[in-house]
Amino acid sequence: KQWYQRRVRAPKHRAKYYEVVEIKTERSTLHLHLHGTGVEPSLSITPDSLSLGHAMVGDTLTSTFTITNSSEISLQYGNTLLGEQRSTVQSVTGDSDYGNGNRSGVLPFFCTPHSGTIEPGQSQEVSVNFRADHAECYRDVVIVKLLNQPQETRIPVTARSWNGSLYVLGGRSPDPRVSLYNTTGGEDATTGGDKDGDGGDDVAGDIWVFFNCPGLGVTVTETLEIGNCRVVKPDNKGAKLTGDYALDPLKADYGPLVKALVVTPPKGVVEPGNNVTVTFQFTPPKELAETQVQFNTLLTLKGETLEQYRVKFVAQIIG
């Protein structure tokens, strides 16, 4: 017996192919008819991005995306993280597609399974897990590739970790063009001390709320979101799952500003995995002479930890 081998190149287009191989001997000629169909590998991924939400440091969040094989052949896939391909970790505020890493060196995001085979018309669910070792904003990119194919699909993923179970969203950074000061002390708002009875240097941080008022007597509304990132029961028995928050009333030293600010609700309970919207309605009193006023109060968050934040209100009369 004599064996012959014919090398067939990979098709470049989705089409039917036909070729004849002619085999000659001293006595006869054999024609071998080759038929083939070029198939284009095709998959779809949903959703095209993932926001895993909020978690306490050390807790794990999980979300999923689905890979569907919409072609006529079995597909082998693999996924990796952009963070695995970089030797240094950049800040979340930088230009990189991925952000802060764990201080331990272990990536905050990881996927399971890392690879697999999907039959025609079938789907595979991939889990993206997040676990952080310090409070920070995180992001990365999951890269999905097919075996021996140049195409890749990128899925941005984000998550946020906190030291405590309660967190606050919605505060704004001060505009550097705005001159900030203490209404009672006349000092720069960034200085320390407790002249306004706002916790001094013991607070966890400042939360800024700005009111752009079109005129005296006109009510302006702003909001903050207070969330509880506890979604699973902790291992330690007796740990607090719900959280409480409370905003102190403005001190009497603020005069007419005390009645000008209405907080709804000023205190409450935040259930695990939920958010509460706190509304601030400010009506500049008509006897107000300044075009800009600043006043402070304390926000206390009591979950598994106790934290206090200084809420700094800045009202500008632009009318």
Side-chain angles (χ1 to χ4, degrees):
K1 294 182 179 179
Q2 180 68 45
W3 293 96
Y4 294 90
Q5 184 178 28
R6 173 70 171 177
R7 292 185 178 274
V8 180
R9 290 173 296 181
K12 296 182 178 180
H13 305 284
R14 185 175 181 178
K16 292 185 176 181
Y17 293 83
Y18 170 72
E19 190 173 349
V20 178
V21 179
E22 188 177 83
I23 304 174
K24 290 186 178 181
T25 67
E26 295 179 353
R27 297 182 180 181
S28 62
T29 300
L30 175 65
H31 292 89
L32 181 62
H33 298 261
L34 302 179
H35 297 267
T37 302
V39 178
E40 181 180 1
S42 177
L43 58 81
S44 61
I45 297 178
T46 54
D48 56 7
S49 64
L50 288 176
S51 177
L52 278 71
H54 303 264
M56 281 188 66
V57 170
D59 284 355
T60 300
L61 292 174
T62 301
S63 188
T64 61
F65 64 89
T66 302
I67 307 174
T68 301
N69 181 359
S70 52
S71 61
E72 304 170 15
I73 56 174
S74 299
L75 296 178
Q76 290 181 279
Y77 76 92
N79 62 67
T80 185
L81 288 164
L82 183 62
E84 298 177 28
Q85 304 176 10
R86 306 294 179 91
S87 58
T88 58
V89 177
Q90 300 179 7
S91 169
V92 73
T93 57
D95 295 330
S96 173
D97 286 330
Y98 80 104
N100 291 292
N102 282 329
R103 292 167 181 164
S104 63
V106 177
L107 288 174
F109 296 96
F110 57 96
C111 299
T112 54
H114 290 286
S115 60
T117 300
I118 308 176
E119 299 300 323
Q122 300 300 308
S123 298
Q124 172 68 57
E125 192 173 81
V126 178
S127 296
V128 180
N129 305 284
F130 169 76
R131 185 182 178 91
D133 63 6
H134 67 283
E136 192 56 84
C137 295
Y138 295 82
R139 67 166 177 246
D140 209 326
V141 177
V142 180
I143 303 173
V144 180
K145 297 187 70 173
L146 292 176
L147 184 65
N148 300 323
Q149 297 294 323
Q151 301 93 339
E152 65 181 30
T153 302
R154 297 194 169 205
I155 307 165
V157 294
T158 58
R160 180 70 163 94
S161 63
W162 304 88
N163 288 321
S165 55
L166 296 188
Y167 59 89
V168 183
L169 298 176
R172 291 163 44 191
S173 298
D175 189 329
R177 296 170 298 179
V178 177
S179 176
L180 301 175
Y181 57 89
N182 288 325
T183 49
T184 59
E187 299 179 354
D188 188 282
T190 59
T191 60
D194 192 20
K195 294 187 177 182
D196 293 327
D198 55 3
D201 295 329
D202 296 330
V203 297
D206 294 335
I207 301 171
W208 294 86
V209 178
F210 290 85
F211 299 105
N212 291 321
C213 308
L216 298 177
V218 181
T219 301
V220 178
T221 301
E222 295 290 341
T223 62
L224 291 176
E225 294 286 333
I226 301 177
N228 185 343
C229 60
R230 270 298 188 206
V231 291
V232 294
K233 190 171 183 179
D235 296 332
N236 50 323
K237 294 182 179 180
K240 185 177 178 63
L241 294 181
T242 60
D244 304 298
Y245 76 91
L247 278 146
D248 289 354
L250 292 184
K251 293 187 175 298
D253 294 345
Y254 286 118
L257 297 179
V258 175
K259 293 184 178 180
L261 180 69
V262 178
V263 183
T264 309
K267 60 182 179 179
V269 176
V270 188
E271 296 294 333
N274 290 335
N275 287 8
V276 171
T277 300
V278 180
T279 302
F280 303 96
Q281 291 181 306
F282 179 72
T283 307
K286 295 184 179 181
E287 62 269 29
L288 190 65
E290 299 90 344
T291 58
Q292 176 180 310
V293 291
Q294 180 181 323
F295 43 102
N296 310 328
T297 190
L298 275 181
L299 169 63
T300 302
L301 303 179
K302 187 177 181 181
E304 292 189 23
T305 60
L306 178 64
E307 294 179 307
Q308 286 188 314
Y309 289 86
R310 182 187 296 110
V311 182
K312 293 188 171 183
F313 301 97
V314 178
Q316 289 183 293
I317 315 302
I318 58 179

